[in-house]
């Protein structure tokens, strides 16, 4: 089955850029009609969809994060990445990558996805 694994630093300083990579195995990020998303869950809060990238490379972002988020991919490595600039302590969260159908664009409900990474804790602190 498809497996996803997040990687990146667990501690980021305020004002810096958070960078995470999702490595996909058991399936291709270019498989037709698959969509690949980043989500996060701050402490004590619900799941938040951040953005994603389609099998063609088209990106979409949450309006609240559009100015700071950037998602890209490396098809040769079967990876997609998240960059979140100008981070503050409010960006502290568990970050997830996930895969689902095209209808998962903007979906913050876990049931809308087929596959999930285990999540990685990112803390923004000086």
């Amino acid at each position: 089955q498809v497996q996803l694994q997040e990687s990146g630093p667990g501690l980021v300083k305020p004002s810096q850029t958070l960078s995470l990579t999702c490595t996909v195995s058991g399936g291709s990020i270019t498989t037709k009609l698959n969509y690949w998303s980043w989500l996060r869950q701050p402490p004590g809060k619900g799941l938040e969809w951040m953005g994603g990238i389609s099998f063609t490379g088209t990106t979409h972002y949450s309006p609240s994060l559009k100015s700071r988020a950037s998602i890209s991919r490396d098809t040769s490595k079967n990876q997609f990445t998240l960059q979140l600039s100008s981070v503050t302590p409010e960006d502290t969260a568990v970050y997830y990558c996930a895969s689902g159908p095209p209808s998962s664009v903007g979906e913050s409900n876990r049931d809308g996805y087929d596959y999930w990474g285990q999540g990685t804790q990112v803390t923004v602190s000086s």
Side-chain angles (χ1 to χ4, degrees):
Q1 64 176 349
V2 173
Q3 293 183 317
L4 299 88
Q5 178 66 60
E6 304 91 347
S7 62
L11 181 64
V12 184
K13 294 180 178 180
S15 81
Q16 294 188 338
T17 296
L18 181 161
S19 297
L20 296 173
T21 297
C22 183
T23 300
V24 178
S25 61
S28 173
I29 61 173
T30 61
T31 296
K32 187 178 180 180
L33 300 183
N34 281 5
Y35 196 82
W36 309 87
S37 289
W38 285 100
L39 305 95
R40 67 180 182 180
Q41 188 166 24
K45 298 183 179 180
L47 200 63
E48 177 189 19
W49 181 80
M50 302 180 69
I53 187 165
S54 76
F55 69 101
T56 64
T58 302
T59 56
H60 306 88
Y61 302 98
S62 167
S64 64
L65 297 171
K66 184 177 181 180
S67 65
R68 296 196 293 132
S70 179
I71 295 170
S72 59
R73 67 179 183 173
D74 185 339
T75 57
S76 69
K77 297 180 179 180
N78 212 32
Q79 296 176 330
F80 63 104
T81 63
L82 168 71
Q83 295 188 344
L84 186 68
S85 66
S86 303
V87 298
T88 74
E90 291 190 358
D91 293 310
T92 294
V94 177
Y95 285 74
Y96 299 91
C97 55
S99 176
S103 60
S104 63
V105 174
E107 179 62 70
S108 295
N109 190 319
R110 195 177 185 95
D111 291 340
Y113 298 87
D114 298 315
Y115 302 101
W116 287 83
Q118 64 183 9
T120 186
Q121 173 71 44
V122 178
T123 299
V124 179
S125 176
S126 60

